[in-house]
PDB file of all heavy atoms in Angstrom:
ATOM      1  N   ILE A   1       0.877  -6.253  -1.332  1.00  0.00           N
ATOM      2  CA  ILE A   1      -0.572  -6.479  -1.267  1.00  0.00           C
ATOM      3  C   ILE A   1      -0.933  -7.061   0.102  1.00  0.00           C
ATOM      4  O   ILE A   1      -1.879  -6.597   0.761  1.00  0.00           O
ATOM      5  CB  ILE A   1      -1.044  -7.398  -2.412  1.00  0.00           C
ATOM      6  CG1 ILE A   1      -0.958  -6.652  -3.740  1.00  0.00           C
ATOM      7  CG2 ILE A   1      -2.462  -7.897  -2.158  1.00  0.00           C
ATOM      8  CD1 ILE A   1      -1.201  -7.522  -4.962  1.00  0.00           C
ATOM      9  N   VAL A   2      -0.177  -8.060   0.550  1.00  0.00           N
ATOM     10  CA  VAL A   2      -0.424  -8.645   1.876  1.00  0.00           C
ATOM     11  C   VAL A   2      -0.244  -7.587   2.953  1.00  0.00           C
ATOM     12  O   VAL A   2      -1.079  -7.464   3.873  1.00  0.00           O
ATOM     13  CB  VAL A   2       0.507  -9.856   2.125  1.00  0.00           C
ATOM     14  CG1 VAL A   2       0.463 -10.310   3.576  1.00  0.00           C
ATOM     15  CG2 VAL A   2       0.146 -10.999   1.187  1.00  0.00           C
ATOM     16  N   LEU A   3       0.819  -6.801   2.854  1.00  0.00           N
ATOM     17  CA  LEU A   3       1.061  -5.739   3.830  1.00  0.00           C
ATOM     18  C   LEU A   3      -0.075  -4.720   3.844  1.00  0.00           C
ATOM     19  O   LEU A   3      -0.522  -4.285   4.908  1.00  0.00           O
ATOM     20  CB  LEU A   3       2.397  -5.049   3.537  1.00  0.00           C
ATOM     21  CG  LEU A   3       2.857  -4.001   4.537  1.00  0.00           C
ATOM     22  CD1 LEU A   3       3.087  -4.640   5.907  1.00  0.00           C
ATOM     23  CD2 LEU A   3       4.122  -3.330   4.047  1.00  0.00           C
ATOM     24  N   ALA A   4      -0.561  -4.362   2.665  1.00  0.00           N
ATOM     25  CA  ALA A   4      -1.659  -3.386   2.584  1.00  0.00           C
ATOM     26  C   ALA A   4      -2.936  -3.923   3.223  1.00  0.00           C
ATOM     27  O   ALA A   4      -3.733  -3.163   3.762  1.00  0.00           O
ATOM     28  CB  ALA A   4      -1.916  -3.006   1.129  1.00  0.00           C
ATOM     29  N   VAL A   5      -3.119  -5.233   3.182  1.00  0.00           N
ATOM     30  CA  VAL A   5      -4.324  -5.833   3.774  1.00  0.00           C
ATOM     31  C   VAL A   5      -4.196  -5.952   5.293  1.00  0.00           C
ATOM     32  O   VAL A   5      -5.153  -5.680   6.023  1.00  0.00           O
ATOM     33  CB  VAL A   5      -4.600  -7.217   3.135  1.00  0.00           C
ATOM     34  CG1 VAL A   5      -5.690  -7.965   3.890  1.00  0.00           C
ATOM     35  CG2 VAL A   5      -4.976  -7.053   1.676  1.00  0.00           C
ATOM     36  N   VAL A   6      -3.024  -6.327   5.788  1.00  0.00           N
ATOM     37  CA  VAL A   6      -2.870  -6.603   7.217  1.00  0.00           C
ATOM     38  C   VAL A   6      -2.251  -5.460   8.014  1.00  0.00           C
ATOM     39  O   VAL A   6      -2.062  -5.594   9.215  1.00  0.00           O
ATOM     40  CB  VAL A   6      -2.042  -7.895   7.452  1.00  0.00           C
ATOM     41  CG1 VAL A   6      -2.708  -9.085   6.813  1.00  0.00           C
ATOM     42  CG2 VAL A   6      -0.617  -7.735   6.994  1.00  0.00           C
ATOM     43  N   VAL A   7      -1.954  -4.350   7.383  1.00  0.00           N
ATOM     44  CA  VAL A   7      -1.303  -3.226   8.053  1.00  0.00           C
ATOM     45  C   VAL A   7      -2.212  -2.657   9.157  1.00  0.00           C
ATOM     46  O   VAL A   7      -3.430  -2.816   9.132  1.00  0.00           O
ATOM     47  CB  VAL A   7      -0.901  -2.146   7.019  1.00  0.00           C
ATOM     48  CG1 VAL A   7      -2.100  -1.372   6.535  1.00  0.00           C
ATOM     49  CG2 VAL A   7       0.156  -1.220   7.567  1.00  0.00           C
ATOM     50  N   ALA A   8      -1.578  -1.996  10.086  1.00  0.00           N
ATOM     51  CA  ALA A   8      -2.302  -1.428  11.234  1.00  0.00           C
ATOM     52  C   ALA A   8      -3.443  -0.520  10.776  1.00  0.00           C
ATOM     53  O   ALA A   8      -3.363   0.111   9.713  1.00  0.00           O
ATOM     54  CB  ALA A   8      -1.331  -0.650  12.107  1.00  0.00           C
ATOM     55  N   PRO A   9      -4.503  -0.463  11.578  1.00  0.00           N
ATOM     56  CA  PRO A   9      -5.696   0.305  11.189  1.00  0.00           C
ATOM     57  C   PRO A   9      -5.470   1.812  11.011  1.00  0.00           C
ATOM     58  O   PRO A   9      -6.274   2.475  10.371  1.00  0.00           O
ATOM     59  CB  PRO A   9      -6.679   0.066  12.330  1.00  0.00           C
ATOM     60  CG  PRO A   9      -6.110  -0.996  13.170  1.00  0.00           C
ATOM     61  CD  PRO A   9      -4.692  -1.183  12.812  1.00  0.00           C
ATOM     62  N   GLN A  10      -4.394   2.365  11.563  1.00  0.00           N
ATOM     63  CA  GLN A  10      -4.185   3.808  11.387  1.00  0.00           C
ATOM     64  C   GLN A  10      -3.840   4.172   9.945  1.00  0.00           C
ATOM     65  O   GLN A  10      -3.922   5.334   9.564  1.00  0.00           O
ATOM     66  CB  GLN A  10      -3.121   4.349  12.356  1.00  0.00           C
ATOM     67  CG  GLN A  10      -1.709   3.952  12.054  1.00  0.00           C
ATOM     68  CD  GLN A  10      -1.252   2.777  12.908  1.00  0.00           C
ATOM     69  OE1 GLN A  10      -2.052   2.000  13.404  1.00  0.00           O
ATOM     70  NE2 GLN A  10       0.048   2.651  13.076  1.00  0.00           N
ATOM     71  N   PHE A  11      -3.471   3.193   9.123  1.00  0.00           N
ATOM     72  CA  PHE A  11      -3.231   3.451   7.708  1.00  0.00           C
ATOM     73  C   PHE A  11      -4.570   3.482   6.972  1.00  0.00           C
ATOM     74  O   PHE A  11      -5.385   2.578   7.102  1.00  0.00           O
ATOM     75  CB  PHE A  11      -2.328   2.372   7.096  1.00  0.00           C
ATOM     76  CG  PHE A  11      -0.891   2.476   7.525  1.00  0.00           C
ATOM     77  CD1 PHE A  11      -0.426   1.750   8.614  1.00  0.00           C
ATOM     78  CD2 PHE A  11      -0.017   3.307   6.851  1.00  0.00           C
ATOM     79  CE1 PHE A  11       0.895   1.847   9.015  1.00  0.00           C
ATOM     80  CE2 PHE A  11       1.307   3.407   7.243  1.00  0.00           C
ATOM     81  CZ  PHE A  11       1.765   2.674   8.337  1.00  0.00           C
ATOM     82  N   LYS A  12      -4.773   4.528   6.239  1.00  0.00           N
ATOM     83  CA  LYS A  12      -6.033   4.715   5.511  1.00  0.00           C
ATOM     84  C   LYS A  12      -5.971   4.002   4.158  1.00  0.00           C
ATOM     85  O   LYS A  12      -4.928   3.520   3.740  1.00  0.00           O
ATOM     86  CB  LYS A  12      -6.307   6.210   5.295  1.00  0.00           C
ATOM     87  CG  LYS A  12      -6.324   7.017   6.567  1.00  0.00           C
ATOM     88  CD  LYS A  12      -7.480   6.580   7.443  1.00  0.00           C
ATOM     89  CE  LYS A  12      -7.491   7.401   8.718  1.00  0.00           C
ATOM     90  NZ  LYS A  12      -7.865   6.654   9.881  1.00  0.00           N
ATOM     91  N   LEU A  13      -7.093   3.991   3.465  1.00  0.00           N
ATOM     92  CA  LEU A  13      -7.174   3.359   2.148  1.00  0.00           C
ATOM     93  C   LEU A  13      -6.158   3.961   1.185  1.00  0.00           C
ATOM     94  O   LEU A  13      -5.499   3.242   0.431  1.00  0.00           O
ATOM     95  CB  LEU A  13      -8.592   3.492   1.581  1.00  0.00           C
ATOM     96  CG  LEU A  13      -8.789   2.911   0.185  1.00  0.00           C
ATOM     97  CD1 LEU A  13      -8.535   1.409   0.189  1.00  0.00           C
ATOM     98  CD2 LEU A  13     -10.172   3.218  -0.343  1.00  0.00           C
ATOM     99  N   PHE A  14      -6.010   5.276   1.236  1.00  0.00           N
ATOM    100  CA  PHE A  14      -5.061   5.953   0.357  1.00  0.00           C
ATOM    101  C   PHE A  14      -3.640   5.421   0.577  1.00  0.00           C
ATOM    102  O   PHE A  14      -2.899   5.163  -0.379  1.00  0.00           O
ATOM    103  CB  PHE A  14      -5.112   7.469   0.583  1.00  0.00           C
ATOM    104  CG  PHE A  14      -4.155   8.234  -0.286  1.00  0.00           C
ATOM    105  CD1 PHE A  14      -4.404   8.392  -1.644  1.00  0.00           C
ATOM    106  CD2 PHE A  14      -2.989   8.783   0.238  1.00  0.00           C
ATOM    107  CE1 PHE A  14      -3.520   9.087  -2.458  1.00  0.00           C
ATOM    108  CE2 PHE A  14      -2.106   9.481  -0.563  1.00  0.00           C
ATOM    109  CZ  PHE A  14      -2.368   9.639  -1.911  1.00  0.00           C
ATOM    110  N   ASP A  15      -3.246   5.223   1.840  1.00  0.00           N
ATOM    111  CA  ASP A  15      -1.912   4.701   2.163  1.00  0.00           C
ATOM    112  C   ASP A  15      -1.740   3.284   1.619  1.00  0.00           C
ATOM    113  O   ASP A  15      -0.684   2.932   1.084  1.00  0.00           O
ATOM    114  CB  ASP A  15      -1.696   4.689   3.672  1.00  0.00           C
ATOM    115  CG  ASP A  15      -1.810   6.077   4.279  1.00  0.00           C
ATOM    116  OD1 ASP A  15      -1.292   7.026   3.658  1.00  0.00           O
ATOM    117  OD2 ASP A  15      -2.410   6.196   5.360  1.00  0.00           O
ATOM    118  N   ARG A  16      -2.769   2.502   1.749  1.00  0.00           N
ATOM    119  CA  ARG A  16      -2.719   1.121   1.281  1.00  0.00           C
ATOM    120  C   ARG A  16      -2.615   1.064  -0.249  1.00  0.00           C
ATOM    121  O   ARG A  16      -1.868   0.250  -0.807  1.00  0.00           O
ATOM    122  CB  ARG A  16      -3.949   0.364   1.760  1.00  0.00           C
ATOM    123  CG  ARG A  16      -4.001   0.232   3.272  1.00  0.00           C
ATOM    124  CD  ARG A  16      -5.374  -0.226   3.746  1.00  0.00           C
ATOM    125  NE  ARG A  16      -5.515  -0.066   5.165  1.00  0.00           N
ATOM    126  CZ  ARG A  16      -5.499  -1.073   6.028  1.00  0.00           C
ATOM    127  NH1 ARG A  16      -5.370  -2.306   5.599  1.00  0.00           N
ATOM    128  NH2 ARG A  16      -5.632  -0.844   7.318  1.00  0.00           N
ATOM    129  N   VAL A  17      -3.348   1.924  -0.914  1.00  0.00           N
ATOM    130  CA  VAL A  17      -3.278   1.983  -2.382  1.00  0.00           C
ATOM    131  C   VAL A  17      -1.885   2.425  -2.823  1.00  0.00           C
ATOM    132  O   VAL A  17      -1.321   1.893  -3.794  1.00  0.00           O
ATOM    133  CB  VAL A  17      -4.374   2.915  -2.944  1.00  0.00           C
ATOM    134  CG1 VAL A  17      -4.156   3.200  -4.417  1.00  0.00           C
ATOM    135  CG2 VAL A  17      -5.753   2.308  -2.704  1.00  0.00           C
ATOM    136  N   LEU A  18      -1.308   3.385  -2.104  1.00  0.00           N
ATOM    137  CA  LEU A  18       0.046   3.833  -2.443  1.00  0.00           C
ATOM    138  C   LEU A  18       1.071   2.720  -2.268  1.00  0.00           C
ATOM    139  O   LEU A  18       2.037   2.639  -3.035  1.00  0.00           O
ATOM    140  CB  LEU A  18       0.439   5.047  -1.607  1.00  0.00           C
ATOM    141  CG  LEU A  18      -0.133   6.377  -2.083  1.00  0.00           C
ATOM    142  CD1 LEU A  18       0.346   7.517  -1.191  1.00  0.00           C
ATOM    143  CD2 LEU A  18       0.264   6.655  -3.524  1.00  0.00           C
ATOM    144  N   MET A  19       0.887   1.871  -1.272  1.00  0.00           N
ATOM    145  CA  MET A  19       1.801   0.728  -1.094  1.00  0.00           C
ATOM    146  C   MET A  19       1.784  -0.177  -2.323  1.00  0.00           C
ATOM    147  O   MET A  19       2.834  -0.572  -2.839  1.00  0.00           O
ATOM    148  CB  MET A  19       1.393  -0.100   0.132  1.00  0.00           C
ATOM    149  CG  MET A  19       1.660   0.544   1.443  1.00  0.00           C
ATOM    150  SD  MET A  19       1.018  -0.561   2.721  1.00  0.00           S
ATOM    151  CE  MET A  19       1.598   0.262   4.169  1.00  0.00           C
ATOM    152  N   VAL A  20       0.594  -0.495  -2.771  1.00  0.00           N
ATOM    153  CA  VAL A  20       0.458  -1.370  -3.939  1.00  0.00           C
ATOM    154  C   VAL A  20       0.953  -0.650  -5.197  1.00  0.00           C
ATOM    155  O   VAL A  20       1.597  -1.258  -6.056  1.00  0.00           O
ATOM    156  CB  VAL A  20      -0.996  -1.860  -4.084  1.00  0.00           C
ATOM    157  CG1 VAL A  20      -1.179  -2.673  -5.350  1.00  0.00           C
ATOM    158  CG2 VAL A  20      -1.399  -2.672  -2.853  1.00  0.00           C
ATOM    159  N   ALA A  21       0.688   0.637  -5.306  1.00  0.00           N
ATOM    160  CA  ALA A  21       1.161   1.397  -6.464  1.00  0.00           C
ATOM    161  C   ALA A  21       2.692   1.438  -6.498  1.00  0.00           C
ATOM    162  O   ALA A  21       3.301   1.303  -7.566  1.00  0.00           O
ATOM    163  CB  ALA A  21       0.593   2.815  -6.436  1.00  0.00           C
ATOM    164  N   PHE A  22       3.301   1.603  -5.325  1.00  0.00           N
ATOM    165  CA  PHE A  22       4.767   1.583  -5.255  1.00  0.00           C
ATOM    166  C   PHE A  22       5.303   0.235  -5.738  1.00  0.00           C
ATOM    167  O   PHE A  22       6.264   0.174  -6.510  1.00  0.00           O
ATOM    168  CB  PHE A  22       5.241   1.872  -3.827  1.00  0.00           C
ATOM    169  CG  PHE A  22       6.721   1.725  -3.663  1.00  0.00           C
ATOM    170  CD1 PHE A  22       7.593   2.686  -4.172  1.00  0.00           C
ATOM    171  CD2 PHE A  22       7.254   0.622  -3.024  1.00  0.00           C
ATOM    172  CE1 PHE A  22       8.963   2.542  -4.042  1.00  0.00           C
ATOM    173  CE2 PHE A  22       8.627   0.469  -2.890  1.00  0.00           C
ATOM    174  CZ  PHE A  22       9.484   1.430  -3.395  1.00  0.00           C
ATOM    175  N   ALA A  23       4.672  -0.833  -5.304  1.00  0.00           N
ATOM    176  CA  ALA A  23       5.085  -2.170  -5.738  1.00  0.00           C
ATOM    177  C   ALA A  23       4.936  -2.315  -7.246  1.00  0.00           C
ATOM    178  O   ALA A  23       5.779  -2.926  -7.911  1.00  0.00           O
ATOM    179  CB  ALA A  23       4.266  -3.234  -5.013  1.00  0.00           C
ATOM    180  N   ALA A  24       3.873  -1.751  -7.800  1.00  0.00           N
ATOM    181  CA  ALA A  24       3.656  -1.818  -9.248  1.00  0.00           C
ATOM    182  C   ALA A  24       4.750  -1.060 -10.004  1.00  0.00           C
ATOM    183  O   ALA A  24       5.222  -1.527 -11.053  1.00  0.00           O
ATOM    184  CB  ALA A  24       2.280  -1.272  -9.605  1.00  0.00           C
ATOM    185  N   VAL A  25       5.175   0.074  -9.478  1.00  0.00           N
ATOM    186  CA  VAL A  25       6.248   0.845 -10.125  1.00  0.00           C
ATOM    187  C   VAL A  25       7.559   0.063 -10.079  1.00  0.00           C
ATOM    188  O   VAL A  25       8.281  -0.024 -11.074  1.00  0.00           O
ATOM    189  CB  VAL A  25       6.403   2.239  -9.470  1.00  0.00           C
ATOM    190  CG1 VAL A  25       7.671   2.935  -9.933  1.00  0.00           C
ATOM    191  CG2 VAL A  25       5.188   3.102  -9.768  1.00  0.00           C
ATOM    192  N   VAL A  26       7.861  -0.537  -8.932  1.00  0.00           N
ATOM    193  CA  VAL A  26       9.076  -1.343  -8.819  1.00  0.00           C
ATOM    194  C   VAL A  26       9.007  -2.525  -9.785  1.00  0.00           C
ATOM    195  O   VAL A  26       9.981  -2.835 -10.477  1.00  0.00           O
ATOM    196  CB  VAL A  26       9.283  -1.819  -7.359  1.00  0.00           C
ATOM    197  CG1 VAL A  26      10.404  -2.842  -7.278  1.00  0.00           C
ATOM    198  CG2 VAL A  26       9.572  -0.633  -6.450  1.00  0.00           C
ATOM    199  N   ALA A  27       7.859  -3.168  -9.879  1.00  0.00           N
ATOM    200  CA  ALA A  27       7.686  -4.295 -10.797  1.00  0.00           C
ATOM    201  C   ALA A  27       7.865  -3.847 -12.248  1.00  0.00           C
ATOM    202  O   ALA A  27       8.460  -4.566 -13.058  1.00  0.00           O
ATOM    203  CB  ALA A  27       6.314  -4.931 -10.594  1.00  0.00           C
ATOM    204  N   TRP A  28       7.372  -2.660 -12.585  1.00  0.00           N
ATOM    205  CA  TRP A  28       7.528  -2.134 -13.943  1.00  0.00           C
ATOM    206  C   TRP A  28       9.004  -1.910 -14.270  1.00  0.00           C
ATOM    207  O   TRP A  28       9.471  -2.274 -15.362  1.00  0.00           O
ATOM    208  CB  TRP A  28       6.738  -0.841 -14.106  1.00  0.00           C
ATOM    209  CG  TRP A  28       6.937  -0.194 -15.442  1.00  0.00           C
ATOM    210  CD1 TRP A  28       6.384  -0.568 -16.621  1.00  0.00           C
ATOM    211  CD2 TRP A  28       7.785   0.931 -15.726  1.00  0.00           C
ATOM    212  NE1 TRP A  28       6.824   0.258 -17.634  1.00  0.00           N
ATOM    213  CE2 TRP A  28       7.680   1.190 -17.109  1.00  0.00           C
ATOM    214  CE3 TRP A  28       8.593   1.741 -14.953  1.00  0.00           C
ATOM    215  CZ2 TRP A  28       8.381   2.209 -17.722  1.00  0.00           C
ATOM    216  CZ3 TRP A  28       9.289   2.770 -15.570  1.00  0.00           C
ATOM    217  CH2 TRP A  28       9.176   2.994 -16.939  1.00  0.00           C
TER     218      TRP A  28
END
């Protein structure tokens, strides 16, 4: 979540959502 918020601007919203979704899958 922190990475998705502070990541470089070239990452779009979709990329940021995928980061958090990946973390959610690992947590599951």
Side-chain angles (χ1 to χ4, degrees):
I1 289 171
V2 169
L3 185 63
V5 170
V6 300
V7 74
Q10 72 261 23
F11 287 94
K12 304 295 180 217
L13 178 63
F14 180 73
D15 300 319
R16 295 167 193 254
V17 169
L18 281 181
M19 288 177 173
V20 175
F22 174 74
V25 169
V26 170
W28 176 77

